[in-house]
Amino acid sequence: MTNAVNALLAALQQAVKADAALMAALGVQGLSDRTVRPQRFPALVVGAVEARDSSTGEADGAEILLTLEAWSAVSRREAEGLVAEVRRVADKMPEALYGFRLVNFRHRRTVSRREVKTGLFVAEGNFRAVVE
């Protein structure tokens, strides 16, 4: 299942990089799976990832629950807007994922908050993908 997760993240990274407007907002860091110091804001970071076996008798498969964290030093609106942009570009992801097939990729919910210690705003976009 780890390979399915990596294939999904690689395809999502490509979709983000291919979108000029999103890359203009994020800069060269694009979608990252780690925090880079010093961090540039806004930032889009891969958060929690959970993979579950969803194989059938006919095909291997995985259900992937993915959280993307959108960080902003400006506002909650900017952070939530980044999640909305990811939703838009994810609709353009190809079905073929580096040895896997993307069955679906859906937004589940977005939760936003202000981090008191840092004063930054974060929107957590939760997504569900099924790959086989």
Side-chain angles (χ1 to χ4, degrees), residues 4-113:
V5 170
N6 290 337
L8 175 66
L9 291 176
L12 189 56
Q13 176 74 269
Q14 288 304 110
V16 169
K17 283 185 178 179
D19 189 80
L22 192 50
M23 286 304 292
L26 295 172
V28 295
Q29 66 193 16
L31 171 63
S32 177
D33 66 349
R34 60 189 167 86
T35 303
V36 180
R37 302 279 188 236
Q39 185 66 50
R40 179 187 176 281
F41 296 103
L44 190 58
V45 181
V46 176
V49 178
E50 180 181 344
R52 301 175 183 168
D53 185 14
S54 66
S55 300
T56 64
E58 298 172 8
D60 289 337
E63 175 188 41
I64 301 167
L65 303 176
L66 169 67
T67 300
L68 296 178
E69 299 172 354
W71 291 87
S72 172
V74 176
S75 67
R76 183 185 309 263
R77 174 183 275 177
E78 182 180 53
E80 290 173 350
L82 287 174
V83 174
E85 287 299 302
V86 170
R87 290 177 66 182
R88 181 182 58 77
V89 300
D91 287 341
K92 300 174 188 172
M93 282 197 321
E95 187 177 296
L97 298 180
Y98 309 100
F100 295 89
R101 184 176 76 85
L102 180 64
V103 177
N104 70 22
F105 186 84
R106 297 285 181 254
H107 175 260
R108 295 176 54 204
R109 69 183 183 145
T110 298
V111 177
S112 62
R113 68 182 180 282

